[in-house]
Amino acid sequence: MRKYLLILFFSIITAGAALAQVTSSSMTGTIKDEKGETLPGATVVATHTPSGTVYSGVTNKDGLFNLPGMRVGGPYTVTVSFIGYAKATLNDITLKLGEPYIVNLQMSVSGVQLQAVNIVSSKRIVSAKSGATTNINRTALATLPTFSRSVTDFTRLSPQANGNGSFGGRDSRLNSVTVDGANLNNTFGTSSDLFPGGGAQPISIETYDELSINNSPFDVRQSGFTGAGIYATTKSGTNTFHGSAYTYYKNQSFNGVHIGDNNISNSIAKSSSTTYGATLGGPIIKNKLFFFANYEREVATSPGLNYSPTGGSGTGTVAATPVADLQKVHDYLLSKFGYEAGGYDNFPAFQPKNTKYLIKLDWNINTKNKLTLKYSYLNATSDIAVNSTSTPNNGSYTYSTGPLTTTTRGSGGLPNGRYSNQSIAFANSNYGFLNLVKTGTAELNSSISPKLSNQLLLTFKNYDNPRTSKGGIFPTIDIFNGAGSNYITAGSDPYTKYNEVIDNTTSLYDNLTYYAGKHTVTAGINYEYQRIGNSFMPGAAGSYIYNSLNDFLTDAAPIQFTYNYSLVPGLDQVFSANLKTGT
């Protein structure tokens, strides 16, 4: 007893650092005899029927029992036994994520031969609420409609949801999002997406087992947000092999084409999305060790750039730049520098792609200890048009509009877009994003004694988001038409080289729960190490603006030149925002 008090004291004094990690469910309740007197020492056994996973406990002097760290879902079979009383059995119990299931039973005295009592249902069997919570189980995830196959399609079911990941009127970046306990917050917050990944879901919706959206919980373990705590668990293997293969396809044909009596089919751009994947789960060792895995691939096509040069295909907006001048620039860059600028007409459609997979292991070490290991991976790419008008140097430049006239522009930006009715950029001037998201979880749930349980959780999230360039890195070249208007753009986007975001988080949690009669005391410790880095070096590849095509082709001096480089010895790329914190 003294040992438990010391552990409890240490946990209480460090409880201020404990954060929310909702990854499982639990069962609790009171066992009484037919006269309403409590039964100390009654044995309660809950068996997860699909996997054979067993959780057991004994009632205390007040007839109370607690079974922590249980698998979400079911069905469960619960048996309650006590010498001299008929065994009671409850079937088809389903547990919800983060909500204790309450079982209150009155047992009957048996004769010489013990008889089993099978209980189908009871009004006194309920789930304990811990605040304003919306729970979305596996059946709802599988049957409710989803437009984007994302978690946000389901979090909108919360009455407190305001759309775009906002809850209770709070900014979406003020939520706390975890999957199997691993932090999946969009920490850098350059978009309103719940998850990092540039719009791609880091984990397939096919793998989720249950979601819980909590807005005002009074559980001490749930904190770290002012919007909502969004907790998700993924599927696990069972004693039966289960698998699925799936594919989804949509294109512009799924869009409506009539507004009143008007047919707008000719104005609907062509687009498509194809998704295919598979899941597989089952036993490695029956009742002992299980696996679950998922693989998914998505390829989408969206409208690219609808521009063409004078003398070209004539599709979309026709720019004043003729094909002949574009070809001269293309050939000059290729022959002198070996740089392929790309095409300038009939631009290919943008094709965002992503590949993701997840693998999970569940190990029933014994009836007191359960271990879960999970790893997920996302590799997503996207295409973006070259920056429209800005240049790395916002200072002024002077250009000539005639043999006796010069003009100074003070804004530093281009007078019209790099794609416009006056100008054309080459295809390899466009850029993209690479989104790499990796998460991992190791969780050990232990029932130390009838009065003490523990959750030990180690998680990590690694997010890397560099820009990519279609034709490799090359200086940005903007060529004017001799009268101060942008005419031709070649080379990589001026903000692509050394443009990268890093968001890595490693967390260690230990939550100790002490069952003190009718009261439950939970305390714990948490250590989190986070590194956020932002590298942004405009013009790191060099940026040149030429007054005319002739100036460029004859190597005349540019009217503006920018080149940014690192002053840190030994480092070419510098993360100007480079935060490392441990709490």
Side-chain angles (χ1 to χ4, degrees), residues 99-363:
E99 296 184 14
Y101 194 94
I102 300 176
V103 177
N104 293 327
L105 282 179
Q106 285 187 310
M107 302 187 70
S108 301
V109 177
S110 66
V112 177
Q113 183 177 1
L114 300 182
Q115 301 294 324
V117 178
N118 188 45
I119 300 176
V120 178
S121 64
S122 171
K123 294 181 180 179
R124 303 182 68 183
I125 302 174
V126 297
S127 292
K129 291 291 184 180
S130 58
T133 302
T134 301
N135 186 277
I136 304 167
N137 60 27
R138 183 186 294 197
T139 302
L141 289 170
T143 56
L144 290 175
T146 170
F147 176 75
S148 60
R149 302 187 70 249
S150 68
V151 168
T152 53
D153 286 340
F154 299 96
T155 58
R156 293 190 180 98
L157 297 175
S158 169
Q160 291 78 26
N162 305 123
N164 296 323
S166 173
F167 297 86
R170 303 297 289 169
D171 189 283
S172 61
R173 289 165 290 192
L174 300 178
N175 300 320
S176 176
V177 186
T178 66
V179 178
D180 292 326
N183 177 327
L184 256 179
N185 291 323
N186 187 8
T187 309
F188 200 75
T190 54
S191 70
S192 61
D193 295 331
L194 285 177
F195 296 126
Q201 295 295 298
I203 295 175
S204 170
I205 198 68
E206 303 287 338
T207 71
Y208 287 106
D209 193 23
E210 199 155 312
L211 299 176
S212 180
I213 302 102
N214 299 263
N215 298 98
S216 55
F218 46 80
D219 187 334
V220 69
R221 294 170 298 176
Q222 300 186 37
S223 61
F225 59 88
T226 60
I230 302 169
Y231 311 117
T233 56
T234 55
K235 297 175 182 177
S236 296
T238 65
N239 281 327
T240 304
F241 283 100
H242 288 282
S244 65
Y246 56 90
T247 184
Y248 299 91
Y249 175 79
K250 65 179 180 180
N251 62 13
Q252 69 280 354
S253 300
F254 288 77
N255 299 333
V257 297
H258 289 91
I259 300 178
D261 295 330
N262 299 314
N263 189 313
I264 60 170
S265 57
N266 293 331
S267 62
I268 297 178
K270 291 184 177 181
S271 63
S272 66
S273 174
T274 303
T275 302
Y276 56 88
T279 66
L280 181 64
I284 299 175
I285 302 175
K286 189 174 182 180
N287 295 335
K288 191 79 172 177
L289 185 61
F290 311 91
F291 78 94
F292 176 81
N294 167 257
Y295 174 86
E296 184 172 297
R297 171 78 168 168
E298 180 180 4
V299 178
T301 300
S302 61
L305 297 162
N306 204 15
Y307 290 90
S308 62
T310 297
S313 64
T315 59
T317 299
V318 178
T321 312
V323 169
D325 287 355
L326 287 162
Q327 192 63 45
K328 289 178 183 178
V329 173
H330 176 276
D331 294 345
Y332 180 80
L333 291 172
L334 188 61
S335 62
K336 185 166 184 176
F337 302 103
Y339 172 69
E340 173 54 64
Y344 46 78
D345 195 0
N346 286 320
F347 292 96
F350 290 158
Q351 285 193 310
K353 305 174 184 178
N354 74 75
T355 301
K356 64 192 71 149
Y357 62 82
L358 177 146
I359 186 164
K360 185 176 182 181
L361 296 174
D362 291 275
W363 181 22

Side-chain angles (χ1 to χ4, degrees), residues 345-390:
D345 195 0
N346 286 320
F347 292 96
F350 290 158
Q351 285 193 310
K353 305 174 184 178
N354 74 75
T355 301
K356 64 192 71 149
Y357 62 82
L358 177 146
I359 186 164
K360 185 176 182 181
L361 296 174
D362 291 275
W363 181 22
N364 297 331
I365 302 173
N366 50 46
T367 58
K368 301 296 183 182
N369 298 280
K370 310 292 190 294
L371 178 66
T372 296
L373 302 174
K374 187 214 69 181
Y375 177 79
S376 70
Y377 172 85
L378 167 73
N379 184 318
T381 62
S382 59
D383 299 321
I384 311 291
V386 63
N387 180 279
S388 179
T389 61
S390 65

Side-chain angles (χ1 to χ4, degrees), residues 78-102:
V78 177
T79 60
V80 183
S81 59
F82 191 77
I83 297 297
Y85 290 79
K87 179 185 290 186
T89 302
L90 292 82
N91 297 308
D92 297 325
I93 291 177
T94 300
L95 304 187
K96 295 182 179 180
L97 178 62
E99 296 184 14
Y101 194 94
I102 300 176

